[in-house]
Amino acid sequence: MRRRAHDFYEEMRTRRTVRDFSDKPVPREIVERAILTAGTAPSGANHQPWHFTVLGRGPLRRRLREAAEAEERAFYEEKASEEWLDALAPLGTDANKPFLETAPWVIAVFAQRRGGIEPGEQRKNYYVSESVGIACGLLLASLHHAGLATLTHTPNPMGFLSEICGRPEHEKPYMLVVAGYPGDGARVPAHALRKKPLEQISDFR
Ligand code: IYR
């Protein structure tokens, strides 16, 4: 048990958010398996209030990039407070999101306000955002375990995603997960390597 807990930590702590992706293809099966893994997450009343729209490379990806970059430009040039821009500075992000076109896969995650378990059901869902957040964590862990780099991306607002992916109004666009191989010479900011020690993130009583 100790060894398994230790080994899992050692593996997960090598996960890095990457913002520069290669166009090298990744088999669809890897993404399918990661989504099945995400689908094992606990959820309110086991309603599994998530939907994953997987965008391979193609015309939708250009639309996605253009729409996301338009929102990001508004964010970086007008909407973001000085405090927020200051917090982002060590990451070196900006409004350009070429990876939305180059990476082999972009997974758009939707949170279903209504659904239930059976296909076509429209029951109220519970703890939607908690459930979908956990599922996204498992999705990232699975993709990392498979040997892929990932990026969680949340342009704000994300309404354009529903239209591009053809999803209904009662589903809230939750997050984009980009997956693939890092681009040649991809680098991660030193800031991202600083993880808080156990004493700072926990206490035992
Ligand atoms: N969505 C923007 C800004 C951004 C916000 C946070 I908080 C980050 O941790 C990273 C980026 C973008 O993707 O550039």
Side-chain angles (χ1 to χ4, degrees):
M1 188 189 288
R2 283 194 181 89
R3 193 179 66 241
R4 287 165 61 89
H6 172 272
D7 289 352
F8 190 62
Y9 167 62
E10 287 301 322
E11 182 181 349
M12 289 312 298
R13 78 194 195 96
T14 65
R15 187 199 57 77
R16 302 278 170 266
T17 287
V18 159
R19 295 185 175 80
D20 178 7
F21 284 85
S22 149
D23 60 4
K24 184 176 168 187
V26 165
R28 169 175 159 157
E29 188 194 338
I30 306 301
V31 176
E32 290 176 346
R33 200 63 70 182
I35 292 172
L36 283 170
T37 303
T40 68
S43 64
N46 193 32
H47 281 194
Q48 304 159 56
W50 38 69
H51 181 86
F52 303 88
T53 293
V54 185
L55 301 166
R57 283 158 56 98
L60 287 179
R61 294 279 295 276
R62 165 152 305 196
R63 272 179 68 194
L64 174 67
R65 176 182 179 181
E66 281 168 4
E69 286 184 337
E71 294 298 357
E72 294 295 3
R73 276 194 298 275
F75 172 80
Y76 283 97
E77 288 164 22
E78 299 157 39
K79 293 201 278 193
S81 63
E82 280 307 310
E83 185 179 17
W84 195 339
L85 291 176
D86 207 47
L88 290 181
L91 300 179
T93 54
D94 61 29
N96 297 315
K97 307 296 176 189
F99 51 77
L100 291 177
E101 254 183 294
T102 46
W105 300 108
V106 174
I107 306 167
V109 185
F110 293 87
Q112 303 176 318
R113 296 184 187 95
R114 288 183 284 113
I117 297 198
E118 301 303 333
E121 266 188 341
Q122 291 296 325
R123 297 165 76 191
K124 180 177 162 36
N125 288 333
Y126 305 93
Y127 297 98
V128 171
S129 151
E130 291 83 347
S131 306
V132 180
I134 297 167
C136 286
L138 294 181
L139 182 72
L140 294 173
S142 172
L143 293 166
H144 173 68
H145 184 64
L148 294 176
T150 53
L151 167 67
T152 51
H153 180 46
T154 50
N156 181 21
M158 258 190 296
F160 62 85
L161 251 194
S162 304
E163 205 210 309
I164 290 175
C165 299
R167 299 310 300 171
E169 210 247 314
H170 67 273
E171 290 187 3
K172 190 175 158 8
Y174 187 84
M175 169 181 298
L176 291 169
V177 175
V178 184
Y181 294 97
D184 278 342
R187 298 170 61 186
V188 295
H191 175 74
L193 302 177
R194 279 194 57 196
K195 299 301 181 201
K196 294 180 181 177
L198 187 62
E199 309 74 61
Q200 201 179 343
I201 61 172
S202 66
D203 67 313
F204 289 68
R205 291 166 191 265

